[in-house]
Protein backbone atom coordinates (compact mmCIF):
# COMPACT_ATOMS: atom_id res chain seq x y z
CA UNK A 1 0.00 0.00 0.00
CA UNK A 2 2.83 2.39 0.80
CA UNK A 3 4.40 1.72 -2.55
CA UNK A 4 1.12 2.39 -4.28
CA UNK A 5 0.74 5.65 -2.44
CA UNK A 6 4.26 6.72 -3.38
CA UNK A 7 3.62 5.87 -7.00
CA UNK A 8 0.40 7.87 -6.93
CA UNK A 9 2.23 10.91 -5.46
CA UNK A 10 4.95 10.65 -8.08
CA UNK A 11 2.35 10.56 -10.84
CA UNK A 12 0.67 13.72 -9.46
CA UNK A 13 4.05 15.49 -9.25
CA UNK A 14 4.82 14.62 -12.84
CA UNK A 15 1.38 15.85 -13.91
CA UNK A 16 1.89 19.14 -12.05
CA UNK A 17 5.33 19.53 -13.60
CA UNK A 18 3.95 19.01 -17.09
CA UNK A 19 1.19 21.62 -16.45
CA UNK A 20 3.80 24.12 -15.29
CA UNK A 21 5.82 23.55 -18.45
CA UNK A 22 2.73 24.10 -20.62
CA UNK A 23 1.89 27.33 -18.77
CA UNK A 24 5.46 28.59 -19.24
CA UNK A 25 5.26 27.81 -22.97
CA UNK A 26 1.90 29.67 -23.30
CA UNK A 27 3.20 32.75 -21.52
CA UNK A 28 6.31 32.74 -23.66
CA UNK A 29 4.20 32.45 -26.78
CA UNK A 30 2.00 35.40 -25.66
CA UNK A 31 5.11 37.54 -25.03
CA UNK A 32 6.45 36.81 -28.50
CA UNK A 33 3.07 37.67 -30.09
CA UNK A 34 2.87 41.00 -28.27
CA UNK A 35 6.43 41.87 -29.29
CA UNK A 36 5.60 41.11 -32.91
CA UNK A 37 2.59 43.43 -32.79
CA UNK A 38 4.65 46.25 -31.30
CA UNK A 39 7.31 45.99 -34.00
CA UNK A 40 4.81 45.47 -36.84
CA UNK A 41 4.30 48.51 -39.23
CA UNK A 42 1.07 50.51 -38.67
CA UNK A 43 -1.85 49.99 -41.08
CA UNK A 44 -2.40 52.34 -43.97
CA UNK A 45 -4.41 55.02 -42.16
CA UNK A 46 -4.25 57.38 -45.12
CA UNK A 47 -6.18 54.98 -47.34
CA UNK A 48 -8.89 54.51 -44.71
CA UNK A 49 -9.17 58.28 -44.24
CA UNK A 50 -9.46 58.83 -48.00
CA UNK A 51 -12.20 56.23 -48.20
CA UNK A 52 -14.11 57.87 -45.35
CA UNK A 53 -13.83 61.35 -46.90
CA UNK A 54 -14.89 60.15 -50.33
CA UNK A 55 -17.84 58.23 -48.90
CA UNK A 56 -18.94 61.08 -46.59
CA UNK A 57 -21.25 61.03 -43.63
CA UNK A 58 -24.45 59.14 -44.24
CA UNK A 59 -23.72 58.76 -47.95
CA UNK A 60 -23.17 62.51 -48.54
CA UNK A 61 -19.95 63.22 -50.39
CA UNK A 62 -17.55 65.56 -48.60
CA UNK A 63 -15.29 66.08 -51.59
CA UNK A 64 -12.16 64.52 -52.91
CA UNK A 65 -9.53 63.49 -50.41
CA UNK A 66 -6.84 64.87 -52.71
CA UNK A 67 -7.83 68.41 -51.72
CA UNK A 68 -7.03 67.56 -48.12
CA UNK A 69 -3.85 65.70 -49.02
CA UNK A 70 -2.65 68.83 -50.84
CA UNK A 71 -2.47 70.59 -47.50
CA UNK A 72 -0.34 68.39 -45.20
CA UNK A 73 -0.98 70.65 -42.20
CA UNK A 74 -4.76 70.12 -42.27
CA UNK A 75 -6.10 67.43 -39.99
CA UNK A 76 -9.95 67.24 -40.35
CA UNK A 77 -11.79 65.53 -37.54
CA UNK A 78 -14.38 63.26 -39.10
CA UNK A 79 -16.55 60.95 -37.09
CA UNK A 80 -18.79 58.31 -38.59
CA UNK A 81 -22.59 58.76 -38.17
CA UNK A 82 -24.65 55.69 -37.62
CA UNK A 83 -28.03 55.25 -39.38
CA UNK A 84 -29.78 55.53 -36.04
CA UNK A 85 -28.16 58.91 -35.37
CA UNK A 86 -28.98 60.11 -38.88
CA UNK A 87 -32.63 59.07 -38.46
CA UNK A 88 -32.78 60.88 -35.10
CA UNK A 89 -31.37 64.03 -36.70
CA UNK A 90 -33.95 63.88 -39.48
CA UNK A 91 -36.78 63.45 -36.98
CA UNK A 92 -35.49 66.41 -34.95
CA UNK A 93 -35.30 68.57 -38.09
CA UNK A 94 -38.86 67.59 -39.04
CA UNK A 95 -40.11 68.51 -35.57
CA UNK A 96 -38.38 71.90 -35.78
CA UNK A 97 -39.91 72.58 -39.21
CA UNK A 98 -43.35 71.57 -37.94
CA UNK A 99 -42.96 73.86 -34.92
CA UNK A 100 -41.99 76.81 -37.16
CA UNK A 101 -44.95 76.12 -39.45
CA UNK A 102 -47.35 75.91 -36.49
CA UNK A 103 -46.02 79.17 -35.01
CA UNK A 104 -46.36 80.98 -38.35
CA UNK A 105 -49.92 79.65 -38.77
CA UNK A 106 -50.90 80.81 -35.28
CA UNK A 107 -49.41 84.26 -35.89
CA UNK A 108 -51.30 84.55 -39.19
CA UNK A 109 -54.59 83.53 -37.54
CA UNK A 110 -54.10 86.11 -34.75
CA UNK A 111 -53.32 88.87 -37.27
CA UNK A 112 -56.32 87.99 -39.44
CA UNK A 113 -58.60 87.95 -36.40
CA UNK A 114 -57.30 91.36 -35.27
CA UNK A 115 -57.77 92.90 -38.72
CA UNK A 116 -61.26 91.43 -39.00
CA UNK A 117 -62.28 92.91 -35.65
CA UNK A 118 -60.78 96.26 -36.66
CA UNK A 119 -62.76 96.34 -39.92
CA UNK A 120 -65.90 95.37 -38.03
CA UNK A 121 -65.39 98.23 -35.58
CA UNK A 122 -65.07 100.73 -38.44
CA UNK A 123 -68.57 99.77 -39.57
CA UNK A 124 -69.90 100.88 -36.19
CA UNK A 125 -67.72 103.96 -35.75
CA UNK A 126 -69.59 106.65 -33.74
CA UNK A 127 -70.49 109.91 -35.44
CA UNK A 128 -71.40 113.37 -34.23
CA UNK A 129 -75.09 112.46 -34.30
CA UNK A 130 -74.49 109.75 -31.68
CA UNK A 131 -73.41 112.35 -29.13
CA UNK A 132 -76.69 114.24 -29.44
CA UNK A 133 -79.66 113.35 -27.33
CA UNK A 134 -82.45 111.74 -29.27
CA UNK A 135 -85.24 114.26 -29.57
CA UNK A 136 -88.81 113.08 -29.48
CA UNK A 137 -91.66 115.47 -30.07
CA UNK A 138 -94.37 115.64 -27.39
CA UNK A 139 -97.33 117.94 -28.07
CA UNK A 140 -97.93 120.53 -25.35
CA UNK A 141 -101.70 120.45 -25.86
CA UNK A 142 -102.59 117.09 -27.39
CA UNK A 143 -105.76 116.98 -29.43
CA UNK A 144 -107.21 114.20 -31.59
CA UNK A 145 -106.43 114.99 -35.19
CA UNK A 146 -106.62 112.92 -38.40
CA UNK A 147 -103.83 110.42 -38.74
CA UNK A 148 -102.91 111.92 -42.10
CA UNK A 149 -101.81 115.17 -40.43
CA UNK A 150 -98.14 115.63 -39.57
CA UNK A 151 -97.43 114.27 -36.09
CA UNK A 152 -94.07 116.00 -35.58
CA UNK A 153 -92.42 119.25 -36.72
CA UNK A 154 -90.54 119.12 -39.98
CA UNK A 155 -86.73 118.84 -39.67
CA UNK A 156 -86.45 121.77 -42.09
CA UNK A 157 -87.05 124.13 -39.16
CA UNK A 158 -83.69 123.12 -37.70
CA UNK A 159 -81.89 125.10 -40.42
CA UNK A 160 -81.30 128.82 -39.71
CA UNK A 161 -81.53 129.73 -43.39
CA UNK A 162 -85.25 128.86 -43.40
CA UNK A 163 -86.00 131.62 -40.86
CA UNK A 164 -84.68 134.26 -43.26
CA UNK A 165 -87.62 133.44 -45.56
CA UNK A 166 -90.31 133.67 -42.88
CA UNK A 167 -92.46 136.73 -42.37
CA UNK A 168 -92.58 138.82 -39.21
CA UNK A 169 -95.87 137.39 -37.97
CA UNK A 170 -94.55 133.87 -38.41
CA UNK A 171 -91.39 134.74 -36.46
CA UNK A 172 -93.50 136.20 -33.65
CA UNK A 173 -95.63 133.06 -33.58
CA UNK A 174 -92.62 130.80 -33.31
CA UNK A 175 -91.11 133.01 -30.61
CA UNK A 176 -94.23 132.96 -28.39
CA UNK A 177 -95.41 129.39 -29.07
CA UNK A 178 -92.17 127.43 -29.24
CA UNK A 179 -90.81 128.39 -25.84
CA UNK A 180 -87.50 126.92 -24.79
CA UNK A 181 -86.65 125.46 -28.20
CA UNK A 182 -83.97 125.98 -30.80
CA UNK A 183 -86.64 127.42 -33.09
CA UNK A 184 -87.42 130.15 -30.55
CA UNK A 185 -83.74 131.11 -30.53
CA UNK A 186 -83.60 131.23 -34.34
CA UNK A 187 -86.77 133.34 -34.50
CA UNK A 188 -85.41 135.84 -31.95
CA UNK A 189 -82.13 136.08 -33.83
CA UNK A 190 -83.91 136.81 -37.09
CA UNK A 191 -86.09 139.49 -35.41
CA UNK A 192 -82.95 141.18 -34.12
CA UNK A 193 -81.54 141.19 -37.64
CA UNK A 194 -84.66 143.13 -38.67
CA UNK A 195 -83.94 145.80 -35.99
CA UNK A 196 -86.46 144.55 -33.45
CA UNK A 197 -85.44 144.80 -29.76
CA UNK A 198 -86.93 142.80 -26.93
CA UNK A 199 -88.22 144.64 -23.84
CA UNK A 200 -87.73 142.46 -20.75
CA UNK A 201 -90.30 144.34 -18.65
CA UNK A 202 -93.20 144.29 -21.15
CA UNK A 203 -92.02 141.00 -22.71
CA UNK A 204 -92.60 142.19 -26.25
CA UNK A 205 -90.66 143.46 -29.24
CA UNK A 206 -90.04 147.16 -30.06
CA UNK A 207 -88.74 148.81 -33.19
CA UNK A 208 -87.88 152.48 -33.81
CA UNK A 209 -90.52 154.22 -35.89
CA UNK A 210 -88.25 157.26 -36.21
CA UNK A 211 -85.04 158.51 -34.70
CA UNK A 212 -85.28 159.05 -30.88
CA UNK A 213 -85.95 162.59 -29.76
CA UNK A 214 -83.95 162.15 -26.55
CA UNK A 215 -80.93 159.93 -26.12
CA UNK A 216 -78.91 159.49 -22.93
CA UNK A 217 -76.65 156.81 -21.44
CA UNK A 218 -79.59 155.32 -19.55
CA UNK A 219 -82.53 155.55 -21.96
CA UNK A 220 -83.86 156.88 -25.24
CA UNK A 221 -87.28 158.42 -25.91
CA UNK A 222 -89.37 158.70 -29.08
CA UNK A 223 -91.99 156.92 -31.23
CA UNK A 224 -91.80 153.11 -31.47
CA UNK A 225 -93.64 150.24 -33.13
CA UNK A 226 -94.32 147.31 -30.82
CA UNK A 227 -95.94 143.91 -31.28
CA UNK A 228 -99.13 143.40 -29.30
CA UNK A 229 -99.21 139.66 -28.62
CA UNK A 230 -101.77 139.84 -25.78
CA UNK A 231 -104.85 141.57 -27.22
CA UNK A 232 -104.61 142.00 -30.95
CA UNK A 233 -101.67 139.98 -32.27
CA UNK A 234 -100.71 142.96 -34.36
CA UNK A 235 -98.21 145.79 -34.55
CA UNK A 236 -99.07 149.08 -32.81
CA UNK A 237 -97.42 152.50 -32.55
CA UNK A 238 -96.39 153.95 -29.21
CA UNK A 239 -95.58 157.67 -29.20
CA UNK A 240 -93.31 159.41 -26.73
CA UNK A 241 -92.18 156.08 -25.30
CA UNK A 242 -89.23 155.97 -22.95
CA UNK A 243 -87.10 152.87 -23.59
CA UNK A 244 -84.76 152.33 -20.66
CA UNK A 245 -81.62 150.41 -21.56
CA UNK A 246 -81.76 148.38 -18.35
CA UNK A 247 -84.78 146.53 -19.80
CA UNK A 248 -83.10 145.89 -23.14
CA UNK A 249 -82.30 142.26 -23.76
CA UNK A 250 -78.82 142.16 -25.28
CA UNK A 251 -77.49 138.72 -24.29
CA UNK A 252 -78.42 137.20 -27.64
CA UNK A 253 -75.60 137.61 -30.14
CA UNK A 254 -76.61 137.95 -33.77
Amino acid sequence: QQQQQQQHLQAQQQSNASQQVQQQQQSHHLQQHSQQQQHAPPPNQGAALDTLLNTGLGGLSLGNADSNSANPNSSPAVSAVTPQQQQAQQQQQQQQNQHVHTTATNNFDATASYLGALNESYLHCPSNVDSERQRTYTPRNPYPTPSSYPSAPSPIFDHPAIFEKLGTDCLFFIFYYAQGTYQQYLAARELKKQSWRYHKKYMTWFQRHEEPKVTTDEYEQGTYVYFDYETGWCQRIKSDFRFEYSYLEDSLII
Side-chain angles (χ1 to χ4, degrees):
Q1 293 178 355
Q2 293 178 354
Q3 290 178 357
Q4 290 178 356
Q5 291 179 355
Q6 290 178 357
Q7 291 176 357
H8 182 71
L9 292 174
Q10 289 178 357
Q12 287 182 351
Q13 290 178 356
Q14 291 177 357
S15 176
N16 293 333
S18 62
Q19 290 179 358
Q20 291 179 357
V21 171
Q22 290 178 359
Q23 290 179 357
Q24 290 178 358
Q25 290 178 354
Q26 289 179 358
S27 61
H28 182 68
H29 180 71
L30 291 174
Q31 290 178 358
Q32 289 180 354
H33 182 69
S34 62
Q35 289 177 358
Q36 289 177 359
Q37 288 183 351
Q38 290 178 357
H39 295 288
N44 190 2
Q45 297 179 354
L49 182 61
D50 292 341
T51 303
L52 181 60
L53 291 175
N54 290 327
T55 304
L57 300 178
L60 300 177
S61 177
L62 299 178
N64 191 0
D66 294 339
S67 61
N68 292 331
S69 63
N71 188 3
N73 295 327
S74 63
S75 57
V78 180
S79 59
V81 179
T82 62
Q84 292 79 4
Q85 293 178 349
Q86 184 178 2
Q87 185 177 3
Q89 291 177 357
Q90 292 178 356
Q91 292 178 355
Q92 184 178 5
Q93 185 66 28
Q94 291 177 357
Q95 292 177 357
Q96 292 179 355
N97 295 337
Q98 185 177 4
H99 177 71
V100 171
H101 177 72
T102 303
T103 303
T105 303
N106 294 335
N107 293 336
F108 176 77
D109 293 340
T111 304
S113 177
Y114 172 76
L115 293 177
L118 187 62
N119 292 331
E120 187 69 18
S121 65
Y122 281 144
L123 298 178
H124 304 282
C125 185
S127 62
N128 295 331
V129 180
D130 297 330
S131 62
E132 299 179 358
R133 181 182 299 178
Q134 186 177 4
R135 293 175 295 179
T136 57
Y137 177 72
T138 303
R140 294 174 181 261
N141 299 311
Y143 190 83
T145 57
S147 59
S148 59
Y149 287 4
S151 60
S154 175
I156 197 174
F157 290 103
D158 293 335
H159 300 282
I162 297 299
F163 287 77
E164 297 177 358
K165 303 177 181 180
L166 301 179
T168 306
D169 288 345
C170 184
L171 294 175
F172 284 136
F173 179 82
I174 295 174
F175 178 81
Y176 285 107
Y177 284 90
Q179 297 93 334
T181 62
Y182 181 57
Q183 287 73 23
Q184 185 186 35
Y185 162 78
L186 294 177
R189 191 179 69 167
E190 187 61 29
L191 288 171
K192 277 195 171 185
K193 289 182 179 180
Q194 299 179 13
S195 300
W196 287 90
R197 297 295 180 262
Y198 185 71
H199 198 287
K200 293 189 290 184
K201 180 179 179 180
Y202 298 110
M203 300 179 64
T204 189
W205 292 87
F206 283 82
Q207 188 181 56
R208 289 177 179 175
H209 187 264
E210 59 184 12
E211 290 296 324
K213 296 178 180 179
V214 180
T215 302
T216 65
D217 295 337
E218 297 180 355
Y219 66 91
E220 64 183 37
Q221 187 171 347
T223 302
Y224 291 85
V225 178
Y226 72 96
F227 182 75
D228 183 8
Y229 70 96
E230 292 180 320
T231 60
W233 196 262
C234 61
Q235 299 181 17
R236 301 181 186 276
I237 297 178
K238 184 71 173 178
S239 301
D240 199 20
F241 178 73
R242 183 174 179 177
F243 199 121
E244 297 182 7
Y245 295 143
S246 59
Y247 296 115
L248 176 64
E249 190 278 316
D250 57 355
S251 61
L252 182 62
I253 300 176
I254 300 177

